């Protein structure tokens, strides 16, 4: 049990990003020799909290005491020197160097003073000892590129241990591991725990948390709602605390009448990403795709939109099978895909509102291939007025608009493509509440007009608030299909973490 | 969150910076001319100005292709070599093999377009990481072939139709000037008034967003490099007409001047930004600079230095300008 001394004590941590509250008086503590889990939905504030602890962000308010000393104005280097190490999902190793070289990177032993001659044998010997101590069968001379992901993670852990880290933060370490590798990981985590290291463990896999952690702190909407001893709680209680909030009247949901099936996918498979995804979408339906980050929601959308190739499976639009090899095929079939990253994938920031709004199926504004400039302008202005776009003129570069207005330009672009099937991937990310409601209203208008809509959102109440039917995904598979009337946050969370309901 | 008013203000500032920049380049050209006319009394003579313009004509045509390549966030380092090889092919076909003048002109332009298409395919099909690589390779290969096909010997004695573009005048105005004007106006209209033209800007601005919007990005890139090869060959035709000969070392270092002209003209190395109208100002600025340094008897080594410095300054300005344009 965790009876070690208090190592980390963070109290009242607040962080805002351009006015949006990411963390609101969060408190967290960790004792030496405990594995402390942090649980929360996507966007609950876990990443922000980690970045504050590792010194990547400076909190606006609050106090962090680590190992008896208050940490003020910490930067990543100072946090590291103080003994805080973080193992991110994307591993920080240099693939072409050996295990030893990676572990000693930047802290190499030298033969004589400050010369550049390395003491290779001493480093190799120490790494060998370290591996034995941790019970790892990894060759110190192996190149990182030749190791599996699981072993690479072990190397990262070994590196943190060697640098005398007192607190090791692990950000979803098992998300990319097989069950066997994950078990191996926990064996090592328990070993370093036994050495008196505190481990902060962030995971979406609640069963793992239950089996291996000592305590759990639950974050919700940027607040820490509870810290519980794992032995005294249940997965049910954790889920309830993660999602427990009222769905306020944020969602102006209007149910449209369903028509025929507009989109049917059968057995969509993309190796290692999607496994046998099948579903149907009706005219007038809003279908929500729920699931945790990395569960395959966006990947499903991408193969339907032709952004990624498909290994197996069929896509039928209005009952007819279509071969989608590139985005153009999908667009021609009447599908619009509104990507989650507006700036990277949706917009050309240096170009105008007009340019962006009219770039899909531009031939509709042209006679032959000569553009009708007046028509371009007129269509854009009509759309901008309809969407209540706030821009000085349609000639304004979209890079200078606010997030909500940028999203409206993306929407304008796809409305002008005359699609009948819309896939919205995180349509309200990074936009303010007012703009969100406008997006929801627009979704209502679209389904009222007979369009079929797939909406992907990480915020669970948004799915519950807007979707008629919800598909839940977990690791590339559909794990639940529920109607709006049956759906609850708890049910979705169970399916998303693939824990069976007791 | 910044307020709407702030954003509007920023928007105005953005387009203002752009307009100021265009004006600035034009003013720099006029200023440079003014300085040259003080420093050398030969600068403002009709003979000299015609000479500047004639030299600029070749560079202006090459710069059209370079502009397109840079507009798509790429580059074409092979324009000078393509110019040489295309005109050497013309020489061999027309003079050595005795085909008619129109056949040899066609051979020249087709060679340029073909080599350009190869540049495009290396990028889009062979998936070389950056056109810097493909066009650098093409630069060396094309130059190499240009040198071997006649064992490095020049070819001259072309019939009138071949030399027409480079040497004829209509009503006192050289045909090459008319050609440049037609090409620039045509390219301006193509880029701003046709779907394909806008797609080129789109691809330059954001390849992934363009692809997801249904634009066939690879096709656009192939087209851009094909045009670049074609304009290099066309420039070669003008040059061959002016000097009445083709030689394997023609067009050496032309890519440098073209890159400098395009960047001075406000196109961005980040892609998606630039206007063909400003490119011609950039071309003239470089031409005046070179001519001025010649008139002042500055060693060509210093000229080379100056062009290099101009490129670096222009790109540094571009980096700052981009920050202003997309402030978010």
């Amino acid at each position: 049990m965790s009876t070690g001394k208090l190592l980390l004590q963070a109290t009242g941590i607040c962080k805002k990003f351009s006015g949006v509250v990411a963390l609101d008086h969060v408190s967290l503590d960790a004792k030496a020799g405990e594995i402390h889990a942090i649980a929360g939905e996507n966007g609950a504030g876990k990443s922000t909290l980690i970045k504050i602890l590792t010194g990547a962000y400076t909190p606006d308010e609050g106090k962090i005491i680590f190992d008896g000393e208050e940490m003020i104005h910490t930067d990543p280097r100072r946090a590291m020197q103080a003994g805080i190490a973080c193992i991110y999902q994307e591993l920080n190793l240099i693939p072409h160097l050996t295990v030893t070289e990676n572990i000693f990177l930047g802290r190499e032993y030298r033969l004589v003073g400050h010369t550049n001659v390395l003491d290779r044998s001493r480093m190799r010997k120490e790494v060998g000892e370290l591996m034995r101590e941790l019970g790892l069968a990894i060759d110190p001379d192996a190149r990182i590129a030749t190791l599996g992901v699981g072993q690479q993670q072990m190397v990262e852990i070994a590196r943190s241990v060697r640098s005398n880290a007192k607190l090791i933060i692990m950000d979803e370490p098992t998300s990319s591991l097989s069950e066997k590798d994950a078990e191996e990981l926990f064996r090592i985590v328990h070993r370093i725990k036994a050495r008196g290291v505190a481990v902060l463990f962030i995971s979406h896999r609640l069963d793992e948390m239950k089996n291996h952690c000592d305590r759990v702190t639950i974050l919700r909407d940027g607040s820490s709602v509870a810290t519980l001893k794992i032995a005294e709680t249940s997965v049910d209680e954790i889920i309830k605390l993660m999602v427990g909030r009222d769905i306020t009247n944020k969602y102006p949901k209007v149910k449209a009448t369903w028509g025929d099936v507009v989109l049917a996918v059968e057995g969509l498979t993309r190796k290692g990403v999607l496994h046998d995804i099948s579903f149907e979408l009706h005219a007038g339906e809003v279908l929500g795709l729920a699931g945790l980050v990395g569960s395959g929601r966006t990947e499903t959308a991408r193969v339907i939109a032709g952004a990624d190739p498909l290994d197996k499976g069929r896509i039928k639009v209005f009952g007819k099978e279509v071969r989608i090899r590139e985005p153009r095929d999908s667009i021609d079939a009447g599908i619009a895909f509104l990507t989650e990253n507006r700036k990277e994938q949706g917009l050309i920031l240096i170009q105008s509102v007009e340019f962006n709004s009219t770039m899909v199926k531009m031939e509709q504004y042209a006679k032959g291939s000569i553009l009708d400039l007046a028509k371009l302008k007129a269509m854009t202005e009509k759309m901008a007025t309809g969407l209540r776009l706030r821009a000085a003129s349609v000639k304004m570069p979209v890079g200078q608009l606010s997030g909500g207005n940028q999203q409206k330009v993306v929407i304008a672009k796809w409305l002008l493509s005359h699609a009948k099937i819309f896939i919205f991937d995180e349509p309200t990310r990074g936009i303010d509440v007012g703009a969100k409601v406008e997006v929801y209203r627009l979704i209502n208008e679209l389904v009222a007009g007979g369009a079929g809509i797939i909406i992907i959102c990480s915020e669970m109440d948004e799915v519950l608030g807007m979707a008629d039917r919800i598909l839940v995904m977990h690791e590339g598979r559909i794990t639940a299909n529920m109607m709006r009337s049956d759906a609850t946050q708890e049910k979705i969370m169970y399916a998303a973490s693939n824990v069976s309901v007791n | 969150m910044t307020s709407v008013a702030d954003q509007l203000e920023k928007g105005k500032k953005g387009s203002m910076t752009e307009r100021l920049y265009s004006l600035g380049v034009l003013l720099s050209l006029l200023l440079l001319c003014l300085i040259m006319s003080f420093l050398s009394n030969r600068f403002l003579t009709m003979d000299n100005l015609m000479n500047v313009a004639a030299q600029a004509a070749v560079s202006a045509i090459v710069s059209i292709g370079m502009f397109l390549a840079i507009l798509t966030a790429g580059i074409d380092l092979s324009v000078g070599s393509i110019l040489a090889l295309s005109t050497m092919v013309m020489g061999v076909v027309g003079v050595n093999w005795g085909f008619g003048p129109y056949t040899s002109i066609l051979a020249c332009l087709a060679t340029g377009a073909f080599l350009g298409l190869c540049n495009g395919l290396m990028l889009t099909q062979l998936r070389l990481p950056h056109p810097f690589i493909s066009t650098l390779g093409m630069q060396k290969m094309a130059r190499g072939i240009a040198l071997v096909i006649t064992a490095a010997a020049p070819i001259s004695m072309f019939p009138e139709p071949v030399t027409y573009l480079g040497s004829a005048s209509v009503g006192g105005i050289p045909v090459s000037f008319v050609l440049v004007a037609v090409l620039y106006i045509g390219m301006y209209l193509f880029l701003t008034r046709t779907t394909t033209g806008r797609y080129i800007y789109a691809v330059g601005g954001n390849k992934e967003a363009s692809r997801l919007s249904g634009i066939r990005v690879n096709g656009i890139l192939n087209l851009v490099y094909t045009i670049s090869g074609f304009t290099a060959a066309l420039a070669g035709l003008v040059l061959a007409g002016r000097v009445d000969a083709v030689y394997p070392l023609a067009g050496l270092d032309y890519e440098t001047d073209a890159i400098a002209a395009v960047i001075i003209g406000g196109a961005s190395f980040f892609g998606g930004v630039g206007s063909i109208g400003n490119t011609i100002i950039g071309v003239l600025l470089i031409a005046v600079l070179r001519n001025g340094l010649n008139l002042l008897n500055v060693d060509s080594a210093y000229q080379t230095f100056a062009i290099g410095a101009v490129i670096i300054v222009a790109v540094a300005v571009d980096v700052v300008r981009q920050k202003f344009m997309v402030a978010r």
Side-chain angles (χ1 to χ4, degrees):
Chain A
M1 279 311 289
S2 48
T3 48
K5 65 165 178 143
L6 204 57
L7 187 67
L8 170 78
Q9 198 176 9
T11 42
I13 305 293
C14 294
K15 181 73 186 171
K16 280 185 191 174
F17 292 104
S18 46
V20 178
V21 178
L23 291 180
D24 182 13
H25 295 93
V26 166
S27 297
L28 173 75
D29 63 78
K31 296 171 188 162
E34 82 162 334
I35 306 176
H36 190 127
I38 299 177
E41 273 190 82
N42 300 327
K46 292 171 299 192
S47 312
T48 311
L49 182 60
I50 295 172
K51 285 188 175 147
I52 283 175
L53 293 177
T54 55
Y57 293 158
T58 312
D60 299 334
E61 273 176 55
K63 201 165 154 183
I64 302 173
I65 296 172
F66 182 70
D67 206 12
E69 267 178 60
E70 184 170 356
M71 307 195 6
I72 310 163
H73 302 305
T74 304
D75 60 74
R77 221 190 150 78
R78 293 218 331 239
M80 221 181 286
Q81 281 163 355
I84 297 177
C86 185
I87 295 164
Y88 294 98
Q89 273 163 290
E90 297 84 31
L91 297 176
N92 253 324
L93 298 167
I94 300 174
H96 300 295
L97 296 185
T98 65
V99 171
T100 305
E101 283 162 345
N102 269 285
I103 287 179
F104 277 89
L105 199 65
R107 302 183 264 255
E108 290 86 352
Y109 289 145
R110 288 150 209 277
L111 272 177
V112 193
H114 289 284
T115 60
N116 266 327
V117 188
L118 300 177
D119 191 345
R120 287 173 177 281
S121 58
R122 189 174 151 210
M123 290 191 282
R124 194 181 301 130
K125 203 172 133 237
E126 232 175 72
V127 170
E129 280 165 15
L130 182 65
M131 292 297 170
R132 258 193 306 284
E133 221 175 300
L134 292 173
L136 288 170
I138 297 174
D139 176 9
D141 291 325
R143 293 195 186 280
I144 294 298
T146 65
L147 302 177
V149 189
Q151 284 186 308
Q152 293 188 13
Q153 226 153 23
M154 308 298 174
V155 174
E156 280 247 29
I157 295 172
R159 178 161 74 178
S160 319
V161 171
R162 214 214 69 84
S163 68
N164 290 322
K166 295 173 193 138
L167 173 72
I168 298 181
I169 304 169
M170 302 177 88
D171 187 4
E172 294 202 44
T174 55
S175 63
S176 53
L177 297 188
S178 67
E179 223 154 283
K180 205 175 129 248
D181 281 346
E183 279 310 310
E184 175 73 4
L185 179 89
F186 281 112
R187 202 174 56 76
I188 306 307
V189 171
H190 284 291
R191 276 203 187 216
I192 58 175
K193 170 190 164 180
R195 290 168 63 116
V197 172
V199 177
L200 279 181
F201 184 79
I202 291 98
S203 176
H204 282 306
R205 296 187 179 173
L206 301 180
D207 43 348
E208 274 177 8
M209 226 177 250
K210 184 76 185 129
N211 291 338
H212 296 284
C213 299
D214 299 305
R215 286 192 300 159
V216 56
T217 292
I218 296 143
L219 297 183
R220 184 173 73 215
D221 294 338
S223 305
S224 43
V225 290
T227 298
L228 305 167
K229 285 196 174 141
I230 289 278
E232 295 164 11
T233 184
S234 63
V235 172
D236 286 353
E237 189 178 2
I238 296 173
I239 288 182
K240 217 166 265 162
L241 286 165
M242 278 165 73
V243 297
R245 92 192 98 159
D246 311 327
I247 299 181
T248 45
N249 240 354
K250 293 195 287 190
Y251 304 100
K253 172 73 183 166
V254 178
K255 189 166 180 338
T257 29
W258 287 14
D260 296 335
V261 171
V262 289
L263 174 74
V265 302
E266 290 165 27
L268 297 187
T269 300
R270 186 165 151 70
K271 281 206 182 75
V273 183
L274 295 176
H275 311 281
D276 199 22
I277 301 288
S278 303
F279 62 84
E280 289 182 343
L281 172 73
H282 301 83
E285 178 182 9
V286 180
L287 175 65
L289 276 188
L292 302 163
V293 171
S295 59
R297 300 167 307 178
T298 298
E299 289 72 11
T300 304
R302 283 180 66 86
V303 296
I304 297 172
D308 289 333
L310 197 57
D311 291 331
K312 238 168 52 192
R314 299 199 298 171
I315 298 172
K316 284 187 193 165
V317 179
F318 298 109
K320 252 201 291 190
E321 180 163 358
V322 284
R323 267 202 72 194
I324 294 175
R325 283 152 300 186
E326 55 177 343
R328 181 86 215 191
D329 299 331
S330 170
I331 291 165
D332 286 341
I335 300 171
F337 174 40
L338 290 81
T339 53
E340 59 182 324
N341 300 317
R342 286 187 293 274
K343 293 181 183 188
E344 289 79 27
Q345 301 176 335
L347 294 169
I348 299 173
L349 296 175
I350 44 180
Q351 289 294 352
S352 66
V353 172
E354 179 191 292
F355 189 105
N356 277 280
S357 302
T358 55
M359 68 187 275
V360 182
K361 287 200 184 166
M362 204 184 282
E363 59 275 10
Q364 62 180 313
Y365 314 99
K367 290 191 193 81
S369 61
I370 309 296
L371 286 168
D372 182 345
L373 296 185
K375 190 175 176 188
L376 280 173
K377 189 155 182 274
M379 294 289 274
T380 310
E381 280 177 349
K382 195 175 146 206
M383 198 48 82
T385 314
L387 292 172
R388 276 179 286 160
L389 181 83
R390 280 186 289 184
S393 84
V394 295
K395 300 289 181 195
M396 189 166 161
V398 295
Q400 289 161 357
L401 300 176
S402 71
N405 281 304
Q406 286 184 355
Q407 185 67 312
K408 286 182 186 174
V409 176
V410 175
I411 292 171
K413 164 170 120 172
W414 290 106
L415 289 180
L416 284 169
S417 82
H418 305 294
K420 294 301 281 175
I421 299 162
F422 291 82
I423 307 174
F424 286 87
D425 194 357
E426 305 282 3
T428 59
R429 176 180 288 173
I431 65 180
D432 58 45
V433 181
K436 277 185 188 181
V437 173
E438 287 185 62
V439 171
Y440 301 142
R441 290 235 163 82
L442 189 89
I443 289 175
N444 286 340
E445 277 171 39
L446 285 172
V447 287
I453 290 190
I454 297 175
I455 176 169
I456 300 173
C457 11
S458 291
E459 286 178 39
M460 216 171 326
D461 58 334
E462 187 172 282
V463 187
L464 283 166
M466 286 309 295
D468 297 314
R469 187 163 62 103
I470 298 166
L471 296 178
V472 188
M473 295 188 70
H474 174 80
E475 295 183 354
R477 288 188 171 80
I478 292 177
T479 50
N481 175 2
M482 49 189 108
M483 296 303 291
R484 175 186 176 80
S485 48
D486 305 331
T488 61
Q489 302 206 23
E490 283 79 8
K491 277 192 194 168
I492 296 175
M493 193 41 101
Y494 278 114
S497 351
N498 208 21
V499 184
S500 53
V501 187
N502 319 326
Chain B
M1 284 286 127
T2 46
S3 72
V4 176
D6 280 351
Q7 284 161 28
L8 298 187
E9 192 51 41
K10 222 187 280 169
K12 277 185 205 145
K13 235 191 282 169
S15 54
M16 197 94 112
T17 345
E18 272 309 272
R19 243 172 278 147
L20 276 180
Y21 185 85
S22 301
L23 199 64
V25 178
L26 191 60
L27 284 178
S28 319
L29 175 62
L30 295 178
L31 189 68
L32 189 64
C33 289
L34 197 68
I35 295 170
M36 287 307 171
S37 57
F38 276 115
L39 290 178
S40 164
N41 50 12
R42 276 185 301 155
F43 179 75
L44 272 183
T45 59
M46 200 57 194
D47 262 6
N48 184 57
L49 288 181
M50 289 301 270
N51 185 27
V52 172
Q55 278 172 358
V58 175
S59 177
I61 299 170
V62 172
S63 297
I64 292 174
M66 187 64 79
F67 172 75
L68 293 181
I70 289 177
L71 190 57
T72 54
I75 197 158
D76 189 348
L77 297 177
S78 65
V79 286
S81 299
I82 290 183
L83 181 154
L85 180 52
S86 307
T87 51
M88 289 308 287
V89 167
M90 176 171 74
V92 171
V93 170
V95 178
N96 296 13
W97 294 352
F99 283 91
Y102 295 106
T103 311
S104 45
I105 289 174
L106 196 68
C108 170
L109 299 178
T111 305
F114 172 74
L115 296 175
L117 177 63
C118 291
N119 278 331
L121 292 173
M122 281 192 274
L123 182 65
T124 58
Q125 301 305 311
L126 210 52
R127 296 180 184 276
L128 296 188
H130 191 275
F132 176 85
I133 304 298
S134 43
T135 61
L136 181 66
M138 178 60 78
Q139 180 195 73
K140 298 300 167 196
M141 291 194 298
R143 183 71 68 190
I145 300 172
L147 281 161
V148 294
I149 51 176
T150 60
I155 303 171
S156 54
M157 309 271 278
F158 285 99
E160 212 264 346
V162 172
T163 57
Y164 179 79
L165 282 181
S167 60
S169 301
V170 175
I173 299 167
V175 173
S176 59
F177 294 8
V178 178
L179 177 68
V180 168
V182 168
L183 287 173
Y184 270 78
I185 292 167
M187 187 49 73
Y188 174 78
L189 293 175
F190 169 69
L191 285 172
T192 54
R193 302 288 160 87
T194 71
T195 48
T196 313
R198 283 215 175 189
Y199 289 160
I200 294 176
Y201 273 99
V203 168
N206 187 338
K207 286 196 178 59
E208 187 59 11
S210 300
R211 188 175 81 93
L212 292 174
S213 298
I215 296 172
R216 298 208 161 95
V217 173
N218 284 350
I220 293 292
L221 291 174
N222 288 339
L223 175 70
V224 160
Y225 285 92
T226 305
I227 294 177
S228 184
F230 178 85
T231 52
L234 188 59
L237 189 60
V238 172
L239 181 67
R242 183 153 65 85
V243 300
D244 196 16
V246 298
Y247 49 105
L249 288 181
L252 207 59
D253 284 346
Y254 276 24
E255 61 280 352
T256 318
D257 280 20
I259 292 167
V262 170
I263 294 297
I264 291 170
S268 167
F269 256 116
F270 301 99
V273 178
S275 125
I276 188 80
N278 287 343
T279 300
I280 192 74
I281 304 176
V283 169
L284 291 172
L285 207 133
I286 295 286
V288 170
L289 185 68
R290 278 202 184 275
N291 173 261
L293 294 173
N294 272 335
L295 292 179
L296 300 174
N297 288 323
V298 175
D299 191 307
S300 74
Y302 291 108
Q303 287 189 31
T304 307
F305 177 88
I307 299 295
V310 163
I311 290 181
I312 288 173
V313 170
V315 175
V317 169
D318 176 38
V319 170
V320 176
R321 207 157 43 99
Q322 288 299 311
K323 276 194 199 146
F324 274 101
M325 282 186 63
V326 183
R328 290 182 146 259

